[in-house]
Amino acid sequence: MPGLNNYVAQDAPVLQRLVLSLAAGYCDLCEHIIAPTRSIADLLRHHDVTKPITIIPTGIDLARFAEGDRLRLRSRLRLAETDFIVGHVGRLAPEKNLTYLTEAVCLFLSQNERAHFVAAGDGASASEMRRMLDEAGLQGRCHLLGVVEGAELADVYAAMDVFAFSSRSETQGLVLVEAMATGVPVVGLNEPGVREVVRNAKNGYLLSADASPGQFSKALARVRAITAPGRAALQEEARQTAASIHDPRPRSRPSISIRRLSQAMPVPELPALVLLRRRSKVSSRNGESSPTLPMPSRTRWRRAVIPKSDGCGTLCLRLNYCDPS
């Protein structure tokens, strides 16, 4: 699942498989699943989720972002209207691949005068980004704004000339649609949540997933080099993309109605479906006994029957489990 390696220890493949199995099993407990993008729907099916899936993008208030003021933030940061701004919005967290992005931005700024980097958001990666920018001697041309909300966020998007995005673990790429709603083209990597939004050379540039920071920097420079008519075409295509993704009209009729879902609730409390047997292991450090989880070795189905009166029928959960004997 997207971002799994960032939140489950990378040196614990057994635990990662267990988390994946639990997530897939939870989906199979549902009567119907809503996925925000086709990439996520395909990912669920890849992990053997069998329940029906309907793709419904998350709605965005396009009018809110269309009202952003391009000059308001620039004036506050003392930037000229002609200065080129590379922007980013989002949680500054490890799964966003921000070390890669910062390296690419540093390369671009070092090769392009009167270019600046503006980022809105906060998180664990903020300090590392600042360190990299400081070491590159770019403090005066980089502006980490922290958390920005409301009308001010629309101004941040409007001030940008290009939106830079390097995450490899998105589910829907909402910030990309927000940027495009403001008419900002996007440079991103060909990953889930990005490829559904970015149309190469039309509303931005979609780079291969293994593109180097140098190649990413060149794509940013390519946007800067576009003439005014070409830039206007990119901006208009970006707005149309945001509008098409936001379109509330269903592309196909879901196989299950909201009314049917509501009639199936509330679901009675299920019996415990997961029983992890623990075994003791003597610690070499203090001689005390500590519990350890068994190694998953095979796949097993456990069944929980819910009364038919609630409309949900019989549910199954697939779990990896191990017999510790």
Side-chain angles (χ1 to χ4, degrees):
M1 298 297 178
L4 176 66
N5 289 340
N6 294 289
Y7 295 100
V8 179
Q10 296 188 31
D11 58 351
V14 172
L15 185 57
Q16 289 184 358
R17 290 198 298 272
L18 175 61
V19 172
L20 278 171
S21 184
L22 288 171
Y26 180 83
C27 289
D28 273 333
L29 282 171
C30 302
E31 189 170 278
H32 199 95
I33 299 165
I34 294 175
T37 60
R38 179 161 299 281
S39 289
I40 296 304
D42 292 344
L43 184 63
L44 292 174
R45 294 189 182 101
H46 175 74
H47 288 288
D48 301 325
V49 172
T50 59
K51 293 304 174 71
I53 302 172
T54 296
I55 300 170
I56 303 178
T58 300
I60 291 176
D61 185 355
L62 299 182
R64 170 191 171 196
F65 295 100
E67 295 173 353
D69 188 322
R70 176 175 171 81
L71 299 181
R72 189 175 294 149
L73 177 67
R74 287 173 174 259
S75 176
R76 179 160 68 87
L77 297 178
R78 298 182 179 179
L79 303 181
E81 184 178 357
T82 55
D83 287 343
F84 188 87
I85 292 182
V86 178
H88 179 81
V89 173
R91 285 182 300 108
L92 305 185
E95 75 271 16
K96 301 298 183 179
N97 195 26
L98 293 171
T99 300
Y100 170 99
L101 180 65
T102 306
E103 183 177 349
V105 168
C106 287
L107 287 171
F108 173 77
L109 295 185
S110 65
Q111 298 167 2
N112 292 268
E113 295 182 358
R114 302 200 65 79
H116 293 255
F117 177 54
V118 173
D122 201 1
S125 296
S127 58
E128 176 64 12
M129 293 175 69
R130 288 191 181 92
R131 183 193 64 77
M132 294 177 66
L133 294 165
D134 289 347
E135 288 184 354
L138 298 168
Q139 305 93 319
R141 296 165 60 192
C142 296
H143 315 271
L144 303 187
L145 307 177
V147 177
V148 179
E149 297 177 329
E152 187 179 355
L153 180 59
D155 291 344
V156 171
Y157 282 119
M160 300 176 188
D161 292 292
V162 62
F163 189 91
F165 197 72
S166 60
S167 176
R168 291 187 166 97
S169 59
E170 292 304 295
T171 57
Q172 50 192 320
L174 286 179
V175 291
L176 305 182
V177 182
E178 291 175 355
M180 289 187 179
T182 316
V184 180
V186 173
V187 172
L189 301 178
N190 189 356
E191 296 284 2
V194 181
R195 64 174 68 103
E196 288 87 355
V197 180
V198 182
R199 298 166 186 169
N200 194 43
K202 293 185 177 180
N203 58 16
Y205 291 98
L206 188 66
L207 307 180
S208 64
D210 59 353
S212 68
Q215 291 172 317
F216 198 101
S217 173
K218 289 180 180 178
L220 297 175
R222 191 174 180 183
V223 175
R224 187 181 189 185
I226 294 175
T227 60
R231 186 181 303 277
L234 274 180
Q235 292 171 340
E236 181 58 29
E237 184 68 27
R239 293 188 183 95
Q240 291 181 8
T241 299
S244 66
I245 292 175
H246 172 78
D247 189 349
R249 294 171 298 178
R251 292 161 178 76
S252 61
R253 185 171 182 177
S255 59
I256 186 169
S257 67
I258 299 299
R259 175 176 295 180
R260 184 181 171 194
L261 284 175
S262 64
Q263 289 173 345
M265 299 179 181
V267 177
E269 183 176 354
L270 294 176
L273 295 178
V274 184
L275 297 176
L276 293 177
R277 295 179 60 185
R278 299 189 298 181
R279 56 182 176 177
S280 295
K281 179 180 179 181
V282 176
S283 171
S284 60
R285 176 163 31 172
N286 54 24
E288 295 179 355
S289 177
S290 60
T292 60
L293 293 178
M295 296 278 289
S297 62
R298 61 181 183 271
T299 300
R300 176 181 180 181
W301 288 88
R302 298 199 58 143
R303 182 178 291 263
V305 179
I306 299 177
K308 292 184 179 180
S309 59
D310 66 40
C312 288
T314 300
L315 306 179
C316 293
L317 174 62
R318 189 191 64 227
L319 293 174
N320 285 330
Y321 99 113
C322 173
D323 184 356
S325 59

